[in-house]
Amino acid sequence: MSLAPENSPAHDSAGASAGDRRATAWRVFLRAHATVIGELEREMQEGEGLPLTWYDILVNLECAPNYRLRMQALADSILLSRSGLTRLMDRMAAAGLVRREPCPEDRRGTYAALTDNGRQALQHAAPGHLAGVKRHFLSKLGDDDVEALILALGKVVKAPAPASPVSTGALHSY
């Protein structure tokens, strides 16, 4: 509930306050994220037998120099704790998709590295995933919506938006 008078500039033409609109924006963002991620997760699991988080790890490693990243950098890029990533890496290594490599510059550090099997799994899964992103998200947005999202969400993450999507050929093109 807003404390601003109904006829003040803090209300829109329908009487909703700026605070109410911001709360609505937050809820719509969360719901859209949950809906899209839920659909993408379901499709990835049904179509490829991969959890979406595994796919995300494979993409990050495929885009990294020498197809490997320090474990902490990978954990940061996929928004997992180090212990959460360690458990995932154990399962992915057992499946032959990734391997651990020692870090010669820092004996305490470890690299997560993409295997040939991991790269093949990614190449097989990417077309279906990208089609899902288009179907469940991008097809719902016009060009102006896309630009507004880049601008608005770029402010949230406080990082300049890339000029184009991460790309290693057609594998990651939308």
Side-chain angles (χ1 to χ4, degrees):
M1 177 174 220
S2 172
L3 299 177
E6 291 271 336
N7 59 356
S8 76
H11 284 80
D12 67 12
S13 61
S17 73
D20 292 341
R21 295 298 291 159
R22 289 173 186 272
T24 298
W26 175 244
R27 286 190 303 274
V28 169
F29 168 77
L30 291 176
R31 189 171 187 160
H33 179 268
T35 299
V36 172
I37 293 299
E39 286 299 312
L40 295 174
E41 176 73 43
R42 182 186 58 75
E43 290 175 358
M44 181 67 66
Q45 195 69 52
E46 288 175 4
E48 303 301 326
L50 289 176
L52 191 57
T53 307
W54 287 26
Y55 178 85
D56 192 20
I57 289 170
L58 295 174
V59 167
N60 277 275
L61 293 176
E62 200 268 340
C63 293
N66 300 316
Y67 307 112
R68 67 183 191 177
L69 286 171
R70 293 281 300 258
M71 290 286 283
Q72 187 59 53
L74 182 58
D76 291 345
S77 73
I78 61 167
L79 308 176
L80 277 180
S81 68
R82 171 88 187 213
S83 63
L85 177 62
T86 298
R87 289 188 296 274
L88 273 179
M89 285 293 296
D90 290 342
R91 292 192 296 273
M92 292 180 73
L97 302 175
V98 298
R99 69 178 173 275
R100 287 187 176 85
E101 294 180 352
C103 179
E105 305 86 36
D106 178 0
R107 286 188 277 166
R108 296 170 297 160
T110 304
Y111 283 108
L114 186 64
T115 64
D116 289 340
N117 287 344
R119 191 169 184 140
Q120 289 172 0
L122 177 61
Q123 289 173 343
H124 189 263
H129 176 68
L130 297 176
V133 170
K134 286 179 188 176
R135 184 173 47 260
H136 300 298
F137 183 67
L138 297 174
S139 69
K140 315 284 192 247
L141 305 173
D143 291 343
D144 290 344
D145 298 325
V146 170
E147 293 305 318
L149 271 173
I150 291 169
L151 180 65
L153 296 178
K155 290 176 184 178
V156 174
V157 297
K158 295 182 176 109
S164 62
V166 173
S167 178
T168 54
L171 182 60
H172 304 293
S173 298
Y174 293 97

